[in-house]
Amino acid sequence: MTRDSDTRYSDTNDGDTARDETERRRTARVLAGASEAELTVRWDAWPDRPQIEYVRGPEAGLVMVQGRVGGTGDRFNLGEATVSRATVIARGTRSETIGTAYVLGSHPEHAGLAAIFDAMLAGEERERVFAEVIVPLEKTQAERDSRSRSDARTTVVDFFTVARENSGPDYGVEDEDDE
């Protein structure tokens, strides 16, 4: 069995490692950010599906989320998050490829579908998966994010400082002699 997805993104590639890692992150982000329904529609409509064997999962579990002080400082444990994962082998007409996916939340079916498309991206259907799955999903997600940012902008409140007329030390304290 050839493990195209393992060697394709490894450090032994001939200079294309950075591009492949960037592309792999991009596709993993898009597949994880898509809804389960979006992936299901695309998988159900896919002709000539490869034979799929689940190696791991799909299953849900917990991971420890770490943060950094100031974004770059010391690490600290922020808390736990539920994550679903799956690893599959896709057997096409000419090759076998491995795909893995992690999805935030308890969505094992979503992780399974994302792993299937990840495996297909490493195989003979790569260009087709990219054109018919990744690019349309990426466009949909960008539009959704743009609407969300636009909605958030409409609720922005501009705060400004008003100079007080009396900014002395006893401002706001009533004089006891006035009673």
Side-chain angles (χ1 to χ4, degrees):
M1 165 172 60
T2 62
R3 295 183 179 224
D4 294 337
S5 62
D6 289 346
T7 57
R8 178 175 182 184
Y9 298 107
S10 71
D11 290 333
T12 59
N13 270 348
D14 49 0
D16 292 335
T17 304
R19 183 185 51 123
D20 287 345
E21 286 178 10
T22 302
E23 185 176 293
R24 181 93 192 263
R25 286 182 184 145
R26 174 186 172 199
T27 58
R29 178 180 32 83
V30 170
L31 291 170
S35 70
E36 181 182 336
E38 291 171 318
L39 294 178
T40 300
V41 165
R42 283 166 173 77
W43 179 243
D44 288 344
W46 198 267
D48 302 323
R49 294 187 209 168
Q51 179 186 357
I52 301 299
E53 176 187 342
Y54 283 90
V55 177
R56 179 187 315 143
E59 59 194 2
L62 293 175
V63 295
M64 179 59 69
V65 179
Q66 292 186 335
R68 287 188 178 265
V69 176
T72 58
D74 293 336
R75 290 182 185 196
F76 63 94
N77 290 336
L78 187 62
E80 293 178 335
T82 305
V83 175
S84 299
R85 70 178 179 180
T87 301
V88 300
I89 296 175
R91 292 185 173 90
T93 55
R94 294 177 290 192
S95 67
E96 295 178 345
T97 55
I98 295 176
T100 300
Y102 288 82
V103 177
L104 189 60
S106 183
H107 309 287
E109 295 82 13
H110 182 176
L113 288 166
I116 290 169
F117 283 118
D118 183 58
M120 291 170 64
L121 280 163
E124 58 204 39
E125 296 284 337
R126 182 190 176 288
E127 295 302 322
R128 184 167 171 223
V129 173
F130 205 84
E132 295 180 21
V133 178
I134 300 301
V135 172
L137 287 175
E138 195 170 40
K139 183 178 178 187
T140 302
Q141 291 170 13
E143 291 169 356
R144 181 188 63 215
D145 292 347
S146 177
R147 279 192 309 273
S148 179
R149 281 191 299 276
S150 177
D151 290 346
R153 259 187 246 112
T154 63
T155 64
V156 170
V157 177
D158 291 324
F159 292 95
F160 56 93
T161 304
V162 178
R164 297 180 177 144
E165 289 181 27
N166 181 4
S167 59
D170 60 347
Y171 177 74
V173 178
E174 293 187 29
D175 219 0
E176 294 177 11
D177 295 337
D178 290 343
E179 291 181 18

